[in-house]
Amino acid sequence: MRKWAKEHGLLLANIALFVVFFGGMVISGASAYTEEQAAHGQPGVSVLEYLATGDFVEATFENWESEFLQMAMYVVLTVFLFQKGSSESKPMGKSSPQDEDPRDAKIKDATPWPVKRGGLVLKLYEHSLSILLLLLFVASFTLHAAGGTAAYNEEQQSHGQPTVTMLGYLGTSRFWFESFQNWQSEFLAVAVLVGASVYLREKGSPESKPVAEPHYETGA
């Protein structure tokens, strides 16, 4: 068990942090929502009831949407684009293992089965990471719109204003403000990491070049 935990420590740590922060978001979100309800003379909700509100769905998936968009775009952009000196870029002017054609690889027992199978299965597997991230983005985008529509209509009804369909909500400035305010921050963070990794180091991290590596060396 200890060996397995060590081998999967990075994943386990991130899952644990997600659970902690997600729990904090749910509890604090339910409290904030109840305060807003009270301010409008409406009954509050329990934590479980809060999970069914448009407010919760919107808040959750507008953030997930931006994360999956960032990661999907980063995976795709690093296929074609380079940044001289950055550990986040493939090496420039020489071949990279990631560019090798799997059809030319020597088949071993541990070779992933799509590579052994070949054909369409392999073609999809070659891009499976970006496909997964893009699908998660589309799903989160849709749920953000659905939750946002519910939250928006609840506000409209409380002010005696007409409600909208989900398609109508997609045409509001509020929806796009929510999206753009998250998207811009994600790509700013990526740009800072890509640029900073040219000149700054973190000993022991695979996201950094070796501490003594020259600034102009590209790749990890």
Side-chain angles (χ1 to χ4, degrees), residues 68-69 71-72 75 128-138:
F68 291 129
L69 174 64
M71 296 308 299
V75 167
S128 55
L129 181 57
S130 60
I131 290 172
L132 171 64
L133 292 170
L134 286 169
L135 287 175
L136 288 171
F137 163 70
V138 171

Side-chain angles (χ1 to χ4, degrees), residues 60-214:
T60 299
F61 290 102
E62 75 173 72
N63 281 280
W64 290 17
E65 157 199 309
S66 62
E67 300 295 338
F68 291 129
L69 174 64
Q70 177 220 69
M71 296 308 299
M73 291 301 298
Y74 190 53
V75 167
V76 173
L77 289 174
T78 52
V79 174
F80 306 102
L81 302 179
F82 302 86
Q83 176 57 53
K84 183 176 180 180
S86 177
S87 63
E88 298 297 310
S89 170
K90 291 187 297 185
M92 303 182 70
K94 57 183 179 180
S95 60
S96 171
Q98 291 88 346
D99 292 327
E100 295 176 359
D101 191 336
R103 295 159 188 80
D104 299 329
K106 183 178 180 181
I107 302 299
K108 306 174 184 178
D109 289 341
T111 300
W113 74 265
V115 180
K116 298 177 181 178
R117 179 73 178 271
L120 178 60
V121 172
L122 175 55
K123 190 65 177 177
L124 291 172
Y125 186 65
E126 287 179 310
H127 305 286
S128 55
L129 181 57
S130 60
I131 290 172
L132 171 64
L133 292 170
L134 286 169
L135 287 175
L136 288 171
F137 163 70
V138 171
S140 298
F141 184 90
T142 303
L143 288 167
H144 168 202
T149 301
Y152 182 80
N153 284 339
E154 185 177 331
E155 291 180 15
Q156 290 290 93
Q157 289 174 336
S158 69
H159 292 91
Q161 299 295 319
T163 59
V164 297
T165 63
M166 189 166 83
L167 187 60
Y169 183 64
L170 288 173
T172 65
S173 57
R174 168 171 157 168
F175 173 78
W176 291 105
F177 173 71
E178 291 168 349
S179 294
F180 288 137
Q181 71 172 332
N182 284 285
W183 296 359
Q184 56 86 21
S185 64
E186 298 299 334
F187 288 101
L188 173 62
V190 170
V192 170
L193 178 60
V194 170
S197 68
V198 176
Y199 304 102
L200 305 180
R201 310 286 188 268
E202 184 59 45
K203 184 179 178 182
S205 174
E207 296 302 309
S208 167
K209 293 184 294 187
V211 176
E213 195 85 355

